[in-house]
Amino acid sequence: MNTIIRKAVHKDVDAVAGIYKKLHALEEAGLVSIGWDSNIYPIRETAEKALNDETLFVMTIDDKVVASAIINQEQPPAYSLVEWSFPAQNDKVGVLHTLVVDPDFGKRGFGKLFVSFFEEYCKANGYEEVRLDTQVKNTRPFNMYLNIGYRLTGIRETAFQGLPVIVDLAMFEKEL
């Protein structure tokens, strides 16, 4: 099994959008609670924009995309509502967005592996701190982040990614 995490290329967008659709279908069926909206976020355009910005990354197993995330330095507005324990200049902070694992490949540690890659990528790019978030109702990543050494900095009600409802956003940090 050849597992690689790399920057996405154009041909990966279909697979990433397919993962988004699978997760939306599971949520609409009541099998998971993530808090996303299949018409708003994340959608194919989310992946396309990140690809164009060169911030979309994918995990492949034997050339099949099984996970994806966006890595950049863009901190959502809600990040200004909490007091970070590891204050850093914005240009020294890496941020992970929209981490998804194909449900067909879930519960194999790929989310943790992707977060580990994110941390190493940020170290290699001179960042001092990493930040990420999830909705409180999205309990699997919420608990995973705590279990892999992230500090819960705060939970705030906020508008998020154009969703039509206010969400409880949990924000996490880790010093590198």
Side-chain angles (χ1 to χ4, degrees):
M1 184 166 69
N2 187 18
T3 304
I4 296 171
I5 301 176
R6 59 168 171 77
K7 278 196 174 183
V9 295
H10 183 72
K11 69 176 184 163
D12 298 323
V13 171
D14 286 341
V16 173
I19 294 171
Y20 296 164
K21 285 182 179 183
K22 284 181 182 182
L23 291 169
H24 287 308
L26 288 173
E27 187 159 26
E28 289 166 3
L31 300 174
V32 298
S33 181
I34 301 169
W36 289 344
D37 184 307
S38 63
N39 296 310
I40 299 171
Y41 179 82
I43 57 177
R44 178 182 190 83
E45 288 79 8
T46 307
E48 288 173 343
K49 179 183 182 318
L51 177 72
N52 291 336
D53 293 343
E54 298 183 11
T55 60
L56 183 64
F57 290 77
V58 294
M59 175 187 289
T60 62
I61 296 177
D62 299 329
D63 296 322
K64 177 176 177 44
V65 175
V66 300
S68 175
I70 299 167
I71 300 173
N72 60 32
Q73 293 184 284
E74 295 177 23
Q75 299 181 61
Y79 282 30
S80 67
L81 303 175
V82 297
E83 187 173 325
W84 299 96
S85 295
F86 310 116
Q89 297 296 320
N90 287 341
D91 66 343
K92 296 292 183 183
V93 177
V95 185
L96 182 72
H97 306 273
T98 323
L99 172 61
V100 293
V101 175
D102 185 320
D104 296 336
F105 292 86
K107 298 183 182 179
R108 298 184 195 180
F110 294 145
K112 289 179 187 176
L113 185 61
F114 215 116
V115 173
S116 179
F117 168 84
F118 161 63
E119 293 170 7
E120 291 304 315
Y121 177 84
C122 288
K123 281 182 194 175
N125 283 282
Y127 304 155
E128 298 170 355
E129 179 179 356
V130 288
R131 296 177 180 167
L132 46 79
D133 59 70
T134 192
Q135 290 190 42
V136 171
K137 66 169 67 179
N138 197 1
T139 56
R140 287 186 68 201
F142 184 101
N143 292 324
M144 178 187 74
Y145 298 144
L146 292 173
N147 289 334
I148 59 175
Y150 278 77
R151 179 186 176 279
L152 176 62
T153 301
I155 299 171
R156 295 290 184 274
E157 290 183 346
T158 187
F160 187 74
Q161 296 292 344
L163 295 173
V165 297
I166 297 298
V167 303
D168 288 323
L169 191 67
M171 292 158 276
F172 298 84
E173 67 182 329
K174 189 179 211 181
E175 190 172 37
L176 295 177

